[in-house]
Amino acid sequence: MGSLKSPVFLLVLYLLEGVLSNSLIQLNNNGYEGIVIAIDHDVPEDEALIQRIKDMVTQASPYLFEATGKRFYFKNVAILIPENWNTKPEYKRPKLETLKNADVLVSTMSPIGNDEPYTEHIGACGERGIRIHLTPDFLAGKKQTEYGPQDRTFVHEWAHFRWGVFDEYNNNEKFYLSNGKPQAVRCSATITGKHVVRRCQGGSCVTNGKCVIDRVTGLYKDNCVFIPDKNQREKASIMFNQNINSVVEFCTEKNHNKEAPNAQNQRCNLRSTWEVIQESEDFKQTTPMTAQPPAPTFSLLQTRQRIVCLVLDKSGSMQSDNRLNRMNQASRLFLLQTVEQGSWVGMVTFDSTAYVQSELTQLNSGADRDLLIKRLPTVASGGTSICSGLQAAFTSIKKKYPTDGAEIVLLTDGEDNTISSCFDLVKNSGAIIHTVALGPSAAKELEQLSKMTGGLQTYSSDQIQNNGLVDAFAALSSGNAAISQHSIQLESRGVNLQNKQWMNGSVIVDSTVGKDTLFLVTWTTNSPSIFIWDPSGVQQSGFVLDTNTKVAYLQVPGIAKVGFWKYSIQASSQTLTLTVTSRAASATLPPITVTPVVNKNTGKFPSPVTVYASIRQGASPILRASVTALIESVNGKTVTLELLDNGAGADATKNDGVYSRFFTAFDANGRYSIKIWALGGVTADRQRMAPQRNGVMYIDGWIEDDGEIKMNPPHPETGNVQDSQVCFSRTSSGGSFVATNVPAAPIPDLFPPCQITDLKASIQGQNLVNLTWTAPGDDYDHGRASSYIIRISTSIVDLRNNFSTSLEVNTTDLIPKEASSEEMFEFELDNSFGNGTDVFIAIQAVDKSNLKSEISNIARVSLFIPAQEPPEDSTPSYPEVSINSTIPGIHVLNIVWKWLGEMHVTLGLH
C-alpha cells in the first residue's frame, strides 16, 4: 500500500493538532493510517526486527479494537529503514515520512541498562505525545517478563501518545492511606494481590516476609511492594498493568480509582482514562464498528541521500532592509555548513517568474559548496510568484530524482494572493516544504505549505541584531540523517556597535562537539576587526572575507579544542552578528542537543502559547541547565523568557530535561519567532533516579495460581549514582507561531494565574497539616498572584465538583510569592475529624483582576494517630506459667496478649 496520505486531511490534521506532534497519522473509518515506525541509525541491521514490528502491530490491533469498544484499529504502517542498511527492491523511497516525524522510534539509545518502553509526552492531559520509544531487545521479547507482551504494551503506549492519558501506577509512591488503612496504588481498586517485603541483591530479588506498617506514617515501610495475582477477574485497567491476563479495558468513570495518587488523577483532574479518550477528536469522529477490522498493512521505506532545493525570493521588495544580502548570508551558512556532506542541492530564484540557478549538485567537497554560493542572486527586482518558484524546483528535481521525500527551502518576504493555486501541486509532490517568512509582509498563507508537508516554519524580522534569518537556516538539518551528521549551533549573537565599540564574549566547545566548527561573522557596512582565540590562548588566523556579501568565516581544522573560545569584534555605526556551529566530535558519542517545541502554531488570544525545550545527550536528559527563550513579535519587540524544569506551571515533570514556560506577552497579531539559548547543567546519564516516565509498569513479580510468588530482577533505574557537571552552550531556532485575536493596546488583563499542579500535603502530629507547592503568577506563571483560596473536604469528588462550597481554610496571613517560588503553609484541623479520616485539599490562586486559576491537583492527608510504644520498664509482668498451668485463664491471657501485640505492629491499631 502506498505511503502518501490524503493531503487535504493532513492539512486539517495539522491545523487541529498544533505542533507538539508532527505526526502524519490520520483516522480513516476507525482505522489509523500513516503511522511511521522508524528504526534509528544506531540499530544493527537485522531483518528479523522488521518482522517483529509487524507482529507487534498486527497483534496489538485487535486488542486495541476491543479495548476501545470496537472504535479504533491499526490500518497501515510505514516502517522506515536506515540508509546504512542494505538496500532491497521492496524498500521504497519515503515521501513525507522522516526519522524526525516518526511516531515510534526503535533505538538502542536508552538510559543505562533500561529497555523500558515509554512515550515522550510533555503536554497537558488530552494533548498528544511526541513519540513512542522502543528498543530492539524489547521487540525481540527479551523483556517480556519485566514489561509484558509487546502487543499489549504497544496499546498502553498508544494511549499515552494518541490521547494524552497518563499512568495509573506510581513508582515513587506505591501506597497511600484510605480511611486510615494502606492501599496499593492501582486502578481499578479491585485488582487483587499481596503486600510483601522485597529484598534485592545483585541482579535478583526475593520475598522476605510480610510488610510492616510504619507507626508514624501508617504506611508500609520501605521495600514493601504490591505483587498482583497473575490471573484476575477485573478487566481494567490497561494504564495500570496491561499484562494482567484479564485486563482488556481502560478504567471508566465507574471503576476508576480516584483516590490513588497517580499521574492520571493528578494531571487529568481525577478523570478516568476512558473519560479523557471520549473527549478526544478521534472519539468524536467515530462510532463503533459492527464488523471485525482487517489486519494492518505495512510499507517498507528506506531513507536515501538528502535532496534539497533552495527556492529564494529575489523580488523588488527584497531590496528593503538589506534583505537580499541577509538572505545570501544565511544561505551561505546553509551551503557551507548546515547541509550534510553527500547531499544533492539545487537552487531556484523567483520574482514574477522563476529561474533555475543550479540543477541538483552533489556536495562532495568545498569546491562544490563554493560553486553554489556563487549562484546566489545579487539583484532584486520584479513581483512575487511563489508558485512559479515551487514549480521550477519540482521540475529541476525530477530531472534526477522523484520529488518524493525531497525538501524545498522556500524564503519569501512578499505577499502573493495566488499561493493557494499551487497547494495541490505541493500535496501531490510528496516533497517537504520548509518556509522562511522574512519581514512583516510575507504571504499569510505561507505556513500552510509547511504544515501540510511536515516542514519547519520559521520567521525572521528585519531586526538584524537578532540574527533570525541565519538561525532559521542553521536549523535546517536533515530529518533523516544521524545526529552525528547534524550541524549544531553553539552561538548566535548580534549587536549594534558605535564609535569603534567591541563585541566581546566566549563560546564553549564541549567534548561532544568540535568537528567542522565554523565561526561566521556578518556586518552591514564596513569590514570589522575580528579576533578569535582558542582555549590555549592562540589567536586564530585564516578568516575568509567576502566584502560583497559582507560576511567572514573561519573553519577550524580537525576537531576544535575543548573549552572557551574567546572573540573580540570591533566596528563602528553598524550591526554585527556572530554564529558558531559545529558537529559531533565522534559518531559514537551523542552530542548535547536542544530541541525546541511549541504547543500550537496558531495562538488565539487570550490562550497562551507553551514553549518547550528538550535538552538531551542521546537518551539522557540534561538537568539544571540555564535555558532562555527569546520571542520576537512582528513589531520587533523581543521578550526574554526563562524556561524551567521544575514540574510546575507549564512544566509537566520535574527534572526530566524538558524546560517549559507559558508565553502571554502578546503585543500584536502576526508571526512570532522563537530562539532558545541553553548553558551548562548536569547530565542524568549517571544519575539513575530519574522521574517516572509515561511508560509501562516494571513488573516486580507475580503470584501464580498455586500461590507461589515469582520475583523479577530489580528495576535497572534503582540505585543512585553521582551525576556529572557538563559545560556547554547551545542556540537553536524554535521556529515560529502566529498570534490572532490580539486586541489593540492597551491589552486587557485576561490571563489568570496558572493551575497549581504540584500541591503536596503531610500531617504532623494529630491535626497539623503542612502544604507545599510552587507559586503560580499573576498571568499564568509570570508575576505574582494576589491571594490563595484553600478548601478541604472529606470527599475527593465533592471537593473537585463543589470547590466553591467546600470548607475554606483561613489564609489571611498567606501572602503569595513570586512565580516559581516554593510556597509553604500550615493549618490545624479541628477535632471534628476523627482518626482514620481522609482529608482532601485543593488550592486556587487569584490575581489582581480577580481572575482565578483552575483548581489545583488534589492533595490528601489521612488522620492516623500512631500507637504509643510502651516504655521498656512499664511492660506488664505476669506470673511465669507452664503450658500445663493450673491457674485458670493465665495461659489463654498470654496468648491473647501476644496476638494483640502482633496485630498492633502489623495493623497499626486501625
Side-chain angles (χ1 to χ4, degrees), residues 47 63 117 155 164 188 199 240 306 335 341 347 375 378 461 502 525 570 616 734 815 817 834-835 857 864 871 891:
E47 284 190 55
Y63 184 66
V155 171
S188 78
R199 305 286 184 190
F240 169 66
R306 189 180 189 188
L335 294 170
Q341 192 80 343
M347 185 188 301
R375 303 293 178 88
T378 56
S461 74
W502 291 87
T525 56
Q570 186 187 44
R616 294 280 187 274
I815 308 300
K817 296 179 181 178
N835 189 25
N857 66 293
F864 174 78
H891 178 61

Side-chain angles (χ1 to χ4, degrees), residues 326-605:
R326 289 166 53 213
M327 178 184 74
N328 289 348
Q329 292 170 342
S331 298
R332 183 186 287 265
L333 175 68
F334 178 78
L335 294 170
L336 276 175
Q337 178 78 352
T338 307
V339 66
E340 298 78 9
Q341 192 80 343
S343 301
W344 290 85
V345 182
M347 185 188 301
V348 170
T349 59
F350 67 91
D351 44 42
S352 302
T353 58
Y355 314 88
V356 177
Q357 302 295 338
S358 175
E359 303 286 2
L360 289 181
T361 301
Q362 190 170 28
L363 303 184
N364 293 317
S365 66
D368 296 327
R369 296 174 185 268
D370 289 340
L371 187 61
L372 278 166
I373 289 171
K374 291 176 181 177
R375 303 293 178 88
L376 290 167
T378 56
V379 177
S381 64
T384 304
S385 177
I386 292 171
C387 289
S388 295
L390 292 173
Q391 177 66 71
F394 293 146
T395 301
S396 177
I397 291 169
K398 286 178 181 177
K399 292 179 181 178
K400 189 170 286 289
Y401 289 106
T403 52
D404 290 347
E407 298 171 72
I408 303 292
V409 177
L410 171 63
L411 180 147
T412 185
D413 75 333
E415 296 182 1
D416 181 356
N417 56 16
T418 67
I419 190 172
S420 60
S421 65
C422 57
F423 280 178
D424 286 339
L425 173 70
V426 169
K427 295 168 189 174
N428 294 327
S429 71
I432 299 166
I433 313 293
H434 307 293
T435 57
V436 183
L438 176 56
S441 301
K444 292 180 172 57
E445 302 85 357
L446 188 64
E447 280 81 3
Q448 293 189 29
L449 294 170
S450 50
K451 290 172 189 175
M452 71 174 71
T453 63
L456 178 66
Q457 65 178 56
T458 55
Y459 161 67
S460 173
S461 74
D462 288 322
Q463 302 296 315
I464 301 174
Q465 71 277 8
N466 291 340
N467 210 22
L469 200 53
V470 171
D471 294 339
F473 276 79
L476 293 170
S477 293
S478 169
N480 281 323
I483 191 66
S484 61
Q485 298 178 37
H486 283 189
S487 175
I488 296 172
Q489 196 172 11
L490 308 184
E491 176 71 293
S492 172
R493 185 182 172 193
V495 65
N496 295 316
L497 297 182
Q498 304 293 332
N499 301 324
K500 293 187 177 181
Q501 289 180 315
W502 291 87
M503 180 171 74
N504 299 317
S506 62
V507 59
I508 304 168
V509 176
D510 60 272
S511 61
T512 71
V513 294
K515 184 180 179 182
D516 295 340
T517 301
L518 179 81
F519 288 75
L520 183 107
V521 177
T522 73
W523 60 90
T524 53
T525 56
N526 299 313
S527 301
S529 300
I530 307 171
F531 303 94
I532 293 178
W533 298 269
D534 73 9
S536 302
V538 177
Q539 184 176 336
Q540 303 297 294
S541 59
F543 261 95
V544 177
L545 271 72
D546 184 339
T547 55
N548 291 326
T549 311
K550 299 180 175 59
V551 63
Y553 63 90
L554 169 69
Q555 289 183 312
V556 179
I559 304 296
K561 288 184 179 180
V562 173
F564 288 82
W565 288 66
K566 296 181 180 180
Y567 57 83
S568 291
I569 309 173
Q570 186 187 44
S572 296
S573 303
Q574 61 176 317
T575 302
L576 300 182
T577 73
L578 170 70
T579 305
V580 184
T581 61
S582 190
R583 297 189 200 277
S586 166
T588 57
L589 177 66
I592 295 171
T593 58
V594 175
T595 305
V597 184
V598 292
N599 72 325
K600 58 186 71 173
N601 47 42
T602 301
K604 186 176 181 180
F605 185 90

Side-chain angles (χ1 to χ4, degrees), residues 709-730:
I709 299 178
K710 290 188 175 180
M711 301 297 293
N712 281 327
H715 192 285
E717 285 185 351
T718 58
N720 196 1
V721 185
Q722 184 66 39
D723 46 355
S724 55
Q725 184 75 31
V726 290
C727 193
F728 70 94
S729 64
R730 294 290 186 273

Side-chain angles (χ1 to χ4, degrees), residues 658-789:
V658 178
Y659 299 75
S660 318
R661 205 72 182 269
F662 290 114
F663 173 75
T664 59
F666 300 98
D667 69 328
N669 290 304
R671 296 181 174 99
Y672 288 68
S673 67
I674 302 171
K675 177 192 286 190
I676 301 295
W677 281 344
L679 289 172
V682 298
T683 176
D685 184 56
R686 300 299 180 197
Q687 187 206 22
R688 302 182 192 175
M689 296 299 289
Q692 179 171 316
R693 297 181 293 191
N694 295 311
V696 294
M697 179 193 295
Y698 186 91
I699 303 164
D700 291 316
W702 292 107
I703 302 175
E704 300 287 350
D705 291 340
D706 59 2
E708 180 185 0
I709 299 178
K710 290 188 175 180
M711 301 297 293
N712 281 327
H715 192 285
E717 285 185 351
T718 58
N720 196 1
V721 185
Q722 184 66 39
D723 46 355
S724 55
Q725 184 75 31
V726 290
C727 193
F728 70 94
S729 64
R730 294 290 186 273
T731 304
S732 183
S733 169
S736 64
F737 63 89
V738 177
T740 64
N741 208 39
V742 179
I747 296 176
D749 180 8
L750 299 178
F751 297 110
C754 65
Q755 181 188 30
I756 295 165
T757 58
D758 62 348
L759 178 65
K760 295 181 177 62
S762 61
I763 194 161
Q764 182 178 339
Q766 296 183 13
N767 62 351
L768 185 63
V769 178
N770 296 298
L771 301 179
T772 62
W773 68 93
T774 301
D778 180 86
D779 295 339
Y780 284 88
D781 52 8
H782 305 277
R784 185 196 300 261
S786 296
S787 62
Y788 291 117
I789 301 170

Side-chain angles (χ1 to χ4, degrees), residues 102-214:
D103 307 297
V104 183
L105 181 64
V106 180
S107 175
T108 60
M109 283 203 307
S110 64
I112 298 172
N114 192 347
D115 288 277
E116 175 188 330
Y118 71 97
T119 299
E120 288 181 79
H121 184 199
I122 62 178
C125 179
E127 288 188 347
R128 294 173 185 171
I130 295 176
R131 184 175 293 112
I132 297 171
H133 288 259
L134 306 175
T135 67
D137 280 355
F138 167 77
L139 286 164
K142 296 180 181 179
K143 302 296 177 180
Q144 187 163 325
T145 303
E146 294 93 332
Y147 297 114
Q150 297 92 311
D151 56 328
R152 286 176 167 234
T153 296
F154 186 61
V155 171
H156 178 107
E157 294 309 312
W158 185 264
H160 285 311
F161 169 71
R162 188 66 187 179
W163 303 309
V165 299
F166 294 89
D167 291 317
E168 293 167 346
Y169 63 93
N170 189 337
N171 284 332
N172 302 318
E173 191 176 346
K174 293 179 180 289
F175 299 96
Y176 66 100
L177 286 178
S178 179
N179 296 321
K181 298 181 180 180
Q183 297 287 339
V185 175
R186 62 200 192 279
C187 194
S188 78
T190 58
I191 294 288
T192 61
K194 292 181 180 178
H195 305 135
V196 299
V197 174
R198 179 185 61 172
R199 305 286 184 190
C200 297
Q201 187 172 7
S204 62
C205 297
V206 297
T207 58
N208 188 9
K210 296 181 179 180
C211 295
V212 175
I213 290 177
D214 187 301

